[in-house]
Amino acid sequence: MKIAFEKHKKCSLKKLIYLLVSDTPKGENLFVGNGVPSIHLLVGMRHMGYTNIQTLGDIIDNSIDAITKDGNGFIKIFTNFDSEESTIVVVDNGCGMDVNTLSDALVFGGVKKRDEDDLGKFKMGLKTASLAMGKRLKVMTKAENSDYLTGIFDYDEAFQKNDWNFVYVSKSTEEEISNFKELVGNESTGTIVQISKLDRLDYNSTEKNKKHLDNRLRKNIAEIFRNFISTSVEDDGICFYYNNKKLSPIDPMCRDMENSYEFKIFNPNDGDYEVTVNGKKYNFRVICYHVPHIDSDTPESQFNMRHTSPQNSGFYILRNNRQIQRASWDIFTNKVDEDVKVRHQTGNQFRAELFFNSDCDDIFKTDITKRKIVLPQEIVDKINLEVWTYLRGAQKMHSHGYKKKSPVEIKKDLDFIARKMNNKITTPTVVKTKNETIIEPTIPPVTPKDTGVTKTEHPRAKNKKIEFGTFEGESRGSFITIEKEGIKKYVIKFNVNHVFYDKLEELDRSSKEVVVYLLHAVALTLYSELYDDLGGAQKTLLIDDFIDKM
């Protein structure tokens, strides 16, 4: 036995690999069959991991792609979970499909090439997603210069025929055309997708659970497609309707609460991150937020989709601007600091969006349901390096003793400092020799012009007056602007979006005073005669340079 082991041990790993992968002579092909899979493959297709929300999302993806090719439009979603013939219907007024496009849409994979900005990926979503929810898919559609068409994909019929030739496409009947016009309206093109025989819904038979499913679908659609949903007739979005009620977008980043002093975008103007994987460059973007505290079951919580809770914190992943994953920390292979993720409110109020385009699908390993990605280590390292800084910033905002002041409190501090500076009596400069002898300044005699008006000069009249204000600027733009009003007044305005402003906010009043005095001194220097040849923009740049060195 030992001799046999020693004999096999001599076979190197390199040789083993060569034997496994080398091209060996092929004998007679004994494969039995024609390579076409059994119809029973459909059973497996029903278990691809789709939830009801993801099923509906994939159908809506197709509607959005059809509308964006044809301009603005609407998407109407109708659900009926109250009868044995439960159905889900999605209606759009997009470009519609001709007979070739409809036939291609009803087979797995298809042959028509997708555009890069399409929300679809494998050309399997319409069929696979529908099967995950029900057994029958019916599509009615009308394209420009094309007939009204109806296509049917029926799971039960496929097994009755035991053949892949079960998909049916024909011209629509008069009744179907009438139903189409009733739902689509006077639009010349559009598509209706109906899923019936719903035997895989996420609820049991009770009335309460049916309503719960309806509410869950409605609010998740409002979040997943928030970047596509129209908020007014003037914008370029798509009008979404759920059971005849107009949907409004749900934004988990709470940008509608930007006036709250708790709201913060850590990196609003960061450009795309660029990484190189296997010699090819890929771009993605990450934006990090600290959102205001929101209690559950309040209007601001928007059906508890964004209240302060661990279930709403973390990273939201968006592919082609459409959310595919929500509130996740699991995209990172390394362990997230539990203090940041869980402790107190730190993790609960930190949220981030990661945007990528479909050209990153291969390196992100986007799965068929478009609900999960796996980040390559190069990107994890990039995010760790730059994003955890903002996580620590969120942690600091919740550290012991930290209390972020409201804008009203900050203005009180600045007003107090301004009054103190404006009322300060100027002390004249005294020049002495080495022997401590005071050198009196020599002032050339000036004969004042007799105007007949007597002026009373106050000691503080020679001071430069100062006021403080704020403005909304770029986070990487100028921190302050200085406006000179008349001869004796300066208005210094702080950029509230600048990172230095956050540091200024955190200081107590006495510390703020030191910083403001320094900035005031710089302003007076730049606006003295020494810098008369500089323009206002150049002076602002000099101040920014001074701040960077502080």
Side-chain angles (χ1 to χ4, degrees), residues 124-367:
M124 296 180 67
L126 179 63
K127 291 78 57 181
T128 309
S130 300
L131 282 171
M133 206 169 190
K135 291 184 175 181
R136 192 171 194 269
L137 168 66
K138 182 177 182 180
V139 181
M140 289 178 283
T141 187
K142 172 72 169 68
E144 197 73 41
N145 302 319
S146 177
D147 295 320
Y148 289 91
L149 299 171
T150 298
I152 296 175
F153 184 103
D154 194 295
Y155 178 85
D156 290 332
E157 189 172 341
F159 278 89
Q160 287 174 6
K161 289 186 174 183
N162 195 27
D163 190 283
W164 284 102
N165 190 28
F166 66 92
V167 178
Y168 183 81
V169 174
S170 66
K171 290 184 179 180
S172 302
T173 64
E174 289 298 323
E175 182 181 3
E176 288 170 338
I177 293 173
S178 176
N179 291 337
F180 183 94
K181 290 180 177 179
E182 182 179 346
L183 289 172
V184 180
N186 296 323
E187 305 291 335
S188 58
T189 62
T191 299
I192 300 173
V193 175
Q194 180 192 55
I195 307 173
S196 56
K197 298 182 182 179
L198 303 180
D199 62 334
R200 293 175 59 84
L201 292 176
D202 297 338
Y203 72 86
N204 57 33
S205 58
T206 66
E207 190 69 23
K208 180 180 178 181
N209 283 322
K210 291 177 183 178
K211 290 181 179 179
H212 177 69
L213 174 61
D214 239 342
N215 289 333
R216 196 151 49 88
L217 291 174
R218 174 175 46 80
K219 65 186 183 182
N220 274 276
I221 290 168
E223 180 184 280
I224 290 169
F225 297 99
R226 60 183 176 274
N227 294 317
F228 297 93
I229 298 177
S230 170
T231 55
S232 67
V233 293
E234 290 83 14
D235 66 24
D236 295 328
I238 300 169
C239 292
F240 276 64
Y241 300 89
Y242 192 94
N243 288 334
N244 289 321
K245 292 183 179 179
K246 194 175 187 305
L247 285 182
S248 297
I250 293 179
D251 180 16
M253 303 303 120
C254 304
R255 279 165 286 218
D256 55 311
M257 300 177 70
E258 62 181 357
N259 292 328
S260 168
Y261 71 88
E262 282 190 286
F263 178 84
K264 181 178 178 60
I265 305 178
F266 289 105
N267 54 334
N269 299 301
D270 277 6
D272 288 352
Y273 293 87
E274 184 179 276
V275 293
T276 302
V277 180
N278 298 327
K280 185 177 178 181
K281 292 182 178 179
Y282 297 92
N283 294 295
F284 65 98
R285 191 179 187 199
V286 178
I287 302 179
C288 301
Y289 302 81
H290 183 276
V291 300
H293 178 84
I294 300 174
D295 292 322
S296 60
D297 300 318
T298 60
E300 291 78 16
S301 73
Q302 294 190 325
F303 313 105
N304 290 341
M305 291 294 285
R306 60 180 200 169
H307 69 285
T308 305
S309 166
Q311 71 189 46
N312 293 328
S313 68
F315 286 78
Y316 289 69
I317 315 300
L318 293 95
R319 175 186 179 271
N320 287 351
N321 232 21
R322 184 265 215 207
Q323 181 177 296
I324 63 172
Q325 195 171 348
R326 79 178 308 274
S328 172
W329 298 94
D330 298 332
I331 59 172
F332 301 102
T333 55
N334 62 330
K335 186 176 182 292
V336 178
D337 187 335
E338 290 300 320
D339 283 345
V340 173
K341 182 179 175 182
V342 177
R343 188 181 176 188
H344 193 46
Q345 297 296 329
T346 305
N348 294 348
Q349 287 180 252
F350 175 86
R351 294 174 195 172
E353 291 179 310
L354 188 154
F355 296 87
F356 72 97
N357 294 325
S358 54
D359 60 354
C360 294
D361 281 339
D362 290 340
I363 64 163
F364 281 15
K365 297 180 175 60
T366 310
D367 70 358

Side-chain angles (χ1 to χ4, degrees), residues 20 31 76 111-112 174 178 193 254 308 376 403 419 449 474 483:
L20 289 170
F31 176 76
K76 300 176 182 177
V111 295
K112 188 177 178 182
E174 289 298 323
S178 176
V193 175
C254 304
T308 305
K403 183 179 183 297
R419 286 195 301 272
K449 185 178 180 180
E474 298 292 330
E483 299 172 5

Side-chain angles (χ1 to χ4, degrees), residues 449-469:
K449 185 178 180 180
D450 186 9
T451 59
V453 178
T454 302
K455 293 183 179 180
T456 303
E457 187 172 333
H458 297 281
R460 64 174 183 267
K462 295 179 182 179
N463 290 351
K464 301 291 186 182
K465 298 292 182 182
I466 187 169
E467 282 186 9
F468 296 109

Side-chain angles (χ1 to χ4, degrees), residues 343-344 346 395-403:
R343 188 181 176 188
H344 193 46
T346 305
Q395 190 177 35
K396 184 178 179 182
M397 293 178 73
H398 295 276
S399 61
H400 179 70
Y402 176 87
K403 183 179 183 297

Side-chain angles (χ1 to χ4, degrees), residues 33-47:
N34 58 8
V36 178
S38 164
I39 200 69
H40 288 82
L41 176 67
L42 290 176
V43 178
M45 301 301 288
R46 302 200 78 194
H47 296 81

Side-chain angles (χ1 to χ4, degrees), residues 443-449:
I443 303 173
V446 177
T447 304
K449 185 178 180 180

